[in-house]
Amino acid sequence: MMEKTRLIIFTTSYYPFVGGVETAIQEIGRRLNRRFDVRIVTSRFSRRLPKCEIRPEGKVIRVGIGRGFDKWLLPFFGCIVALRNIGGEGRAILWGVDISQGSVAAFFCKILRPRHPFVLNIQYGYGDSRLASGRLGMIGAALRLMLWLADEVTVISSYLGEVAAAYGYHGRCVLIHNGVNADLFGLRDKSANGLLSFPRKRESRISTDWIPDQVGNDIEHAPIIITTSRLVEKNGIDTLVRAIAVLKNKGKPLQCHILGDGPDRSALGFLAKELGVEHEIKFFGSVPFEKIPAHLHQATIFIRLSRSEGMGVSFVEALAAGVPIIGTRVGGIPDIITDGVTGLFAKVDDPGDAAEKIMRLLQDPGLSRSIVENGKKMIRERFLWDSIAGQYEEVFDRVLSCRILVATGLFPPEIGGPATYSKLLQDELPKSGFVVTVLPFRSVRHLPKLIRHGAYFWNIFWRGLAADVIFAQDPVSVGAPAALAAMLTRKKFVLKIVGDYAWEQGSQRFGVADPLDEFLEKKYDWKVEMLRRLERWVACRADSIVVPSEYLRGVVTRWGVPRDRITVIYNAFDPPIRMLTKNEAREKLGFSGTVLISVGRLVPWKGFEAVIELVQKLRADVPDRDIRLRIIGSGPVHVEDVIRAPEPGFVIELAGSLSHEDVLTSLIAGDIFILNTKYEGFSHAILEAMALGIPVCTTRAGGNIELIQDGETGLFFDWNNINQMQAAVMRLLNDHDFTRRLSERAREKAGSFSAQRMLNEITALLKNA
C-alpha cells in the first residue's frame, strides 16, 4: 500500500475552540484524510487538553504549557514538533492557515526544510490598518516574509487576493472560499439529486401580516434580527444596536438576537441601555457552533455591519438556513452579496441606512424569498465543503508537482518581452502540472546596485532549494545569480537568450559601433570583455538554452555552447478574441492621415532617427498624404533632437512606454509598421503587426528573415537607407492590391506562431530537464 503524503496543518487555535478557521480545517481534513496523513499542529492553551489527540480529520498535536501564552511559543516549538512529524523520503506539505503564529511556524519549517512545499492560506479579517501597523508592524512584516517563501497562496476572498499582491506576492492567488455545512444549517434532500433544501420558516416572520406601524411593548412575536459574530469593534455591533434604536423610535417592534462574545460585550450592553433598547436586544454570549442553526431558523433577517471582513462565512451560513442577509460593502463580503440579488448592502457606520435596509426586507417578503433562493443556488455552486476540499486537493497535488522558478528582469505591470513571456509561463504551465514561482528583479531594484544583485542571488538561492528547475530569462542580470544559485543548489538550470548582452551594453555604454556579427570576432576593452566572459560562463553552465530564432542559435553556438544544448522555440502571439476595428482604434487614438508605427527600445541599433528623417522627407515630397509617425518605446537614446520644429497637431509622436493593450491598439490603428534595426533576435513587435494585418517594412537583421519573406509577407530595406525606406513605404501606399495580399499572407504566416505551440515546446523541454 502506497504511503500517504503527510499534510501538516499549522493553526494558532483548534478544537475545542471553534471559529471560521477551525471549521475549515475540520471540514477539509475529514474529506482529505483518505489521501493524506493529516497532522494538525496548534497551541494547547489549557492543561485540560491532551497534548495529542486522534480526531476524524487527523492527529492533533498541541504545543505549549497549557496557558494563553502558548500561541507565542507556537512559532518555535510548533516548528520543532512539525519537523519531527515530516517523516518519509517524499515531500510533506506545510499548510499555514491564516496570518497567525501557526503560519509563522510553517514559515520556519520551510526555511529549515525548503524542499517541502509551503502553502499559505489567508483568512485575515481585521482590515488594512491593523495588517499594516498591528503588533508594531509585525503582522504586515510577517505576511511579507511568508508570501516571499510560499510555494502557493490561497485566499478566501477576492479582497484578500488584492492584499497579497499589495504585500509583494507576484504569483497567482487561488481563490477558495470557506464553506457551509449543508447538513447542519439546512437539510440535504436525498431524493432530489443531492441538492439542498432548507427548512420552511414561519410565514408570520416575513409576511404582510407584520404591520409596520404597529406600536406596543409586547415584542414576543416581533420579527427577529440576528447577528453571529465576535463582539469586537471591526464587526460593527454598535452600529446594529443604534439601528435597532432607530427602528424602535419609529414604532417598529423588533427583537435583536446577538450571538457571540468578546471584549466589547459590556460596552454594547451599556449602549443598548443608554438608547433604550435593552429589552429588544438579547445577548446570548458564546453559543456552541452546532446550535447556531436553530437560532438562525427562527430569525427573520441576518445582519452584520462589518467595518472589515476577510470573507464573512456567517453570511453564507445564514443563507443556508434560509435567512436573507444584510452586510456592508467591505473586504470579502462583495464575494457573497450581490446587492438586491443575494443580499442587501448597508453603509458602514450608518445606523439609519441599516434600519432602512431592515425595513425594506420586512416590507417586501418577495425580495426576501428571492434573496434566499438566489443564495441557495450560489451555495450549491461555490460554498459546499465537498467542492472546496476538492479544490484544496488540486492545490496540494500541484505543489507536489515539478516546480519551476522563473527569474526575470521584467514582470507585469512592467512591459517588455521577458515580462510577457514570464507572465505566460506563470499562467499556462500550471495547466501542464508544473508549479511556477516567478521572481522578478524589481523586488530588489530599490537597493543600491551591487547590493541588489547580491540580494537577488540570495532570493534565488533560497527559492531554488525548493525548486526542481531554475529558468532564467537573460544571461547576465538575472542569469548570473540564477546560474550560481543553480550550481550551489544542484538544480537543473534552463536559460533563455534573446540577444548578446555584452554587445548590447557595449553599444549603449562603451562605444562599440560594430554590428553583432563583427563584434563576435573582435576583442574590446576590459569592461566589454568582462561582460562577454560572464554571459558565456552563464550560458555554458546551463543544462538547456532556449533561443527564439535560428539566428540566435548560431550566435550562442559561437560563444562555445554545444549546438545540441540549444533549442529554438519561436515566440508566439495570439490576437485578442475581441479587437477594435481599424476605425474604432483610430477614433480612440485621434489618428488622421497616414500613420506609420514603430515599436522598440530607444537604443543605438534601432535607428529611430532615420525613421524620423524619412517621415519628414515624405511630408515634404508627398504632402497630400499627410504622413505621420508614432514611436512607442523608451530607452537611453534621445531621438527628440532629430525632430524638427513641431508642426501643429500630431505629426511625430514619441509615445514612450505603453501597456501591451495600447501597443496593440496603435498597431490596429496604424497603416504601416516600420522597424529600422541593425540587430534583432526575434521581433515580437513584427509578429504582432503581421498577426493584426498591418503591413511591415524592416531590415534583414538577425531573426527578421525567419518571419519576413521579401515581397511576400513584408518588405526589406537596408539599415538607415532612407531612399529604400521611402520606396518601400510608397509601394505600400500606392499599390493597394499588393498591400492587401501582403497583409493576408503575413497574417497567415503569423498564425503558425501560436501560443499553444510555443507552450507545448517549452513544456516538453522543461519535462526533459
Side-chain angles (χ1 to χ4, degrees), residues 294-357:
H295 289 268
L296 289 171
H297 292 158
Q298 296 303 311
T300 310
I301 296 170
F302 176 90
I303 184 168
R304 183 189 282 183
L305 302 171
S306 304
R307 296 181 173 97
S308 65
E309 196 71 63
M311 178 192 137
V313 73
S314 294
F315 292 99
V316 182
E317 293 168 349
L319 285 173
V323 185
I325 60 176
I326 299 172
T328 48
R329 201 187 299 267
V330 300
I333 298 175
D335 283 7
I336 300 167
I337 293 180
T338 300
D339 198 30
V341 179
T342 57
L344 294 181
F345 279 126
K347 297 176 183 177
V348 178
D349 290 329
D350 191 334
D353 188 59
E356 180 183 329
K357 298 303 163 53

Side-chain angles (χ1 to χ4, degrees), residues 587-631:
E587 182 178 352
K588 179 178 179 180
L589 297 176
F591 281 7
S592 62
T594 300
V595 181
L596 277 59
I597 304 292
S598 194
V599 180
R601 289 194 66 225
L602 306 187
V603 288
W605 58 90
K606 298 248 173 112
F608 289 109
E609 299 95 331
V611 178
I612 291 170
E613 292 182 20
L614 164 71
V615 170
Q616 293 170 335
K617 186 173 187 300
L618 285 170
R619 287 184 64 81
D621 294 348
V622 283
D624 58 306
R625 289 287 189 177
D626 188 21
I627 295 175
R628 299 158 182 262
L629 172 66
R630 176 177 243 210
I631 295 175

Side-chain angles (χ1 to χ4, degrees), residues 117 171 175 213 293 316 389 424 491 502 540 585 646 708 769:
L175 174 59
D213 295 324
V316 182
L424 187 67
K491 299 302 170 69
C540 290
I708 299 293

Side-chain angles (χ1 to χ4, degrees), residues 19 219 357 359 477 550 643 650 685 761:
I219 61 171
K357 298 303 163 53
M359 288 285 295
S477 62
E550 288 291 347
I643 301 176
F650 156 52
E761 293 178 4

Side-chain angles (χ1 to χ4, degrees), residues 709-726:
Q709 290 77 48
D710 194 27
E712 295 291 325
T713 58
L715 292 175
F716 280 138
F717 56 81
D718 292 337
W719 186 65
N720 275 354
N721 191 318
I722 294 177
N723 290 331
Q724 290 184 19
M725 284 191 238
Q726 182 171 358

